[in-house]
């Protein structure tokens, strides 16, 4: 996915790292890069919002239980489908 505008951090890289960003697993420089990109790029922000909402929903309903692998696979597959649709 790309919004068509130039960014220091490409859209595809931001979306590939969104889970590590949400989990707080990036260093402060990478976090700043991702935040800057999301501030500038509404298509990525929309995608980020979707993924964050799904992650929060799963966390809320599953509590401390591990996420079933088939659910994780289905969610990731659907995210990839949405990305592909947005890229077309």
């Amino acid at each position: 996915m790309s919004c068509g505008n130039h960014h220091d951090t490409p859209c595809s890289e931001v979306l590939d790292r969104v889970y590590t960003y949400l989990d707080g697993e990036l260093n402060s420089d990478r976090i700043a890069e991702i935040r800057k990109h999301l501030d500038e790029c509404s298509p990525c922000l929309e995608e980020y919002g979707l993924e964050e909402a799904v992650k929060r929903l799963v966390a809320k309903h599953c509590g401390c239980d591990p996420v079933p692998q088939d659910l994780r696979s289905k969610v990731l597959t659907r995210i990839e489908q949405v990305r592909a649709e947005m890229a077309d």
Side-chain angles (χ1 to χ4, degrees):
M1 180 187 118
S2 176
C3 66
N5 297 323
H6 172 76
H7 299 284
D8 293 336
T9 307
C11 296
S12 59
E13 186 176 332
V14 169
L15 295 175
D16 287 343
R17 298 184 188 278
V18 77
Y19 281 113
T20 53
Y21 171 78
L22 291 172
D23 289 337
E25 296 174 357
L26 299 175
N27 66 40
S28 58
D29 291 338
R30 295 298 291 155
I31 288 170
E33 290 173 9
I34 302 288
R35 281 187 184 158
K36 180 178 187 255
H37 183 99
L38 292 172
D39 286 343
E40 297 172 349
C41 185
S42 60
C44 283
L45 185 58
E46 290 172 20
E47 182 76 10
Y48 162 77
L50 170 68
E51 292 188 69
E52 183 178 25
V54 168
K55 188 170 184 165
R56 285 185 182 170
L57 179 66
V58 169
K60 178 181 177 182
H61 292 285
C62 293
C64 295
D65 298 335
V67 176
Q69 186 59 39
D70 64 325
L71 173 60
R72 186 177 199 291
S73 296
K74 288 177 185 177
V75 169
L76 291 174
T77 299
R78 182 62 185 135
I79 289 169
E80 288 303 316
Q81 290 172 343
V82 170
R83 281 184 184 165
E85 290 168 9
M86 292 179 76
D88 290 335

